[in-house]
Amino acid sequence: MKTKTKTKPHIHIMDRRHFIIGAGLAGGQIAAILANAPSFKIDTAHARAKDYKSALQEVLKGATPSQELLSIKMPEIAENGNVVSVTLDASAAQQQGKNINALYVFATENPWPYVATFKLSKLSGQPSVTSRMRLARSQKVIALAAVDDGSFLLAETFVKVTIGGCGG
Amino acid sequence: MTKVRPKVRVPKTAKVGDVVKIKTLISHRMESGIRKDKKGNVIPRDIIQSFEAQFEGEPFFSVDMHPAISADPYFAFYFKVPGSGEFTFIWRDEKGQNWSLKRKLAVS
């Protein structure tokens, strides 16, 4: 019987690289990294609060966010915590006449919960952004949207991580 | 270390008032500073900390990044076309190095 030629799997170069990083971590290093993370001293001014509640408060400054009009889309299960797709969308708020100034992402169980801030403007067209983030382990991810009237919107999702991402 | 290379995808033409999608990617390892090498030494932190998209010199979208952004930071976002002009995309790392790209948009 003729053996079928194996078709070369089409792997995007980035995925391959992340796979290598992920595989390296799986080899026992991940436990050491996670064990070390909480005691690691942050040495730049850019770093923020270490627990997500105070990170959230840095943005909210006492305001109570309403849990509506904002969505956070992430996979339910992430095989590789190094690269997890995340989409924030506040289009529903825009349709109700709310202008969004900024979108925030917080990973509640990462060594550094503050992931990123996306600043928008009138030229942004649609208050929606997609990026890729690291997750150290299975956890809740929280999104915030800052409305130009000073109020905030909040959305959250839970992601189960099979192999944790390196770092915060 | 691999070379840092930015890439963007924007439409070349659009109509005034269109909302267009912009995709950007920069090849960068985004070393978090808490990983260790095989000998147990901490791999020094090296991350891109900001990204900014400008149209005709006016910033309209920016990102503050922290170590939880994956290697090769990717962003997809939107832009409402006010007319013809030129985009500038700028990435900056924590050491003050920066990389930029320009793209023209023509209104049809």
Side-chain angles (χ1 to χ4, degrees), chain A residues 82 117 119 123-124 131 134 168, chain B residues 30 62 67-68 70 74 78 80:
Chain A
N82 277 305
T117 304
K119 290 172 197 150
L123 285 176
S124 294
S131 188
R134 292 172 172 147
Chain B
M30 291 293 278
S62 69
S70 298
Y74 163 85
Y78 295 89
K80 194 173 182 179

Side-chain angles (χ1 to χ4, degrees), chain B residues 4-74:
Chain B
V4 176
R5 200 160 61 95
K7 276 192 232 172
V8 295
R9 185 167 290 174
V10 289
K12 285 194 175 80
T13 59
K15 291 191 176 80
V16 172
D18 276 1
V19 174
V20 297
K21 193 174 193 176
I22 299 174
K23 292 179 185 174
T24 71
L25 188 134
I26 186 162
S27 57
H28 192 282
R29 57 188 182 157
M30 291 293 278
E31 194 59 63
S32 66
I34 54 176
R35 287 202 313 149
K36 288 181 180 178
D37 62 19
K38 279 178 187 162
K39 290 173 187 160
N41 302 315
V42 171
I43 304 169
R45 175 165 161 142
D46 178 18
I47 72 165
I48 291 191
Q49 65 174 7
S50 75
F51 165 74
E52 189 173 281
Q54 302 174 349
F55 189 69
E56 291 292 292
E58 190 192 334
F60 67 92
F61 177 84
S62 69
V63 186
D64 292 344
M65 279 171 254
H66 298 265
I69 290 292
S70 298
D72 304 330
Y74 163 85

Side-chain angles (χ1 to χ4, degrees), chain A residues 111-143:
Chain A
W112 299 312
Y114 206 148
V115 177
T117 304
F118 305 95
K119 290 172 197 150
L120 309 173
S121 72
K122 280 177 186 161
L123 285 176
S124 294
Q126 193 179 322
S128 172
V129 60
T130 300
S131 188
R132 296 171 186 150
M133 63 186 279
R134 292 172 172 147
L135 291 174
R137 67 197 79 163
S138 300
Q139 60 182 283
K140 189 166 78 177
V141 180
I142 296 176

Side-chain angles (χ1 to χ4, degrees), chain A residues 17-32:
Chain A
R17 191 168 137 203
H18 286 128
F19 173 73
I20 292 163
I21 295 169
L25 284 171
Q29 289 179 32
I30 188 77

